[in-house]
């Protein structure tokens, strides 16, 4: 199945909803408080995913084999975190591509 990034952003935002059903502390809050919670919660997910990737690397530092399967489980999570945050701040596929190109263009 081929998808573009905008479709993936939409899919993720439809399946990872910041509402009171998933997060009871959001009951009765206004849109600004919901947005701030979503950004903070996204940061927690970034930290959690980065920690899992770091744990794989740390195990290798201690002589263990690299756990490619664990990395493969966390790569999509990292992308989900990124694209959900992009949606929250109003970034589209074009915005993301432009930002990346602007950063790395010589």
């Amino acid at each position: 199945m081929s998808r573009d990034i905008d479709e993936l952003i939409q899919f993720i935002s439809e399946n990872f909803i910041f509402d009171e059903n998933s997060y009871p502390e959001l009951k009765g809050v206004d849109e600004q408080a919901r947005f701030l919670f979503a950004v903070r919660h996204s940061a927690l997910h970034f930290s959690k995913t980065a920690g899992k990737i770091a744990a794989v690397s740390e195990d290798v530092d201690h002589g263990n084999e690299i756990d490619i399967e664990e990395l493969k489980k966390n790569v999509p999570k990292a992308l989900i975190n990124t694209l959900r945050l992009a949606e929250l701040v109003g970034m589209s596929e074009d915005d993301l591509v432009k930002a990346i190109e602007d950063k790395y263009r010589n």
Side-chain angles (χ1 to χ4, degrees):
M1 174 184 293
S2 178
R3 291 192 172 154
D4 68 14
I5 294 173
D6 281 331
E7 288 177 350
L8 191 53
I9 289 170
Q10 184 63 35
F11 178 80
I12 291 165
S13 68
E14 290 170 356
N15 286 279
F16 296 93
I17 301 168
F18 291 103
D19 65 10
E20 59 276 356
N21 295 325
S22 298
Y23 307 100
E25 73 181 84
L26 292 177
K27 186 175 183 172
V29 303
D30 64 23
E31 284 306 307
Q32 179 66 10
R34 184 179 309 274
F35 171 75
L36 295 175
F37 173 88
V39 171
R40 185 176 64 249
H41 198 78
S42 294
L44 292 173
H45 277 281
F46 274 110
S47 297
K48 184 177 175 183
T49 302
K52 289 178 180 182
I53 294 168
V56 169
S57 181
E58 201 265 343
D59 286 346
V60 171
D61 290 349
H62 288 282
N64 296 312
E65 293 293 319
I66 190 159
D67 187 346
I68 296 295
E69 292 308 310
E70 184 65 17
L71 292 174
K72 286 180 178 181
K73 283 177 18 184
N74 283 287
V75 169
K77 292 177 184 179
L79 183 59
I80 289 166
N81 294 338
T82 299
L83 296 181
R84 186 62 177 105
L85 185 58
E87 190 275 334
L88 286 168
V89 301
M91 291 183 78
S92 68
E93 174 180 357
D94 288 342
D95 297 329
L96 291 167
V97 170
K98 183 180 182 319
I100 292 167
E101 289 175 344
D102 288 350
K103 179 167 179 60
Y104 293 105
R105 186 175 288 130
N106 290 331

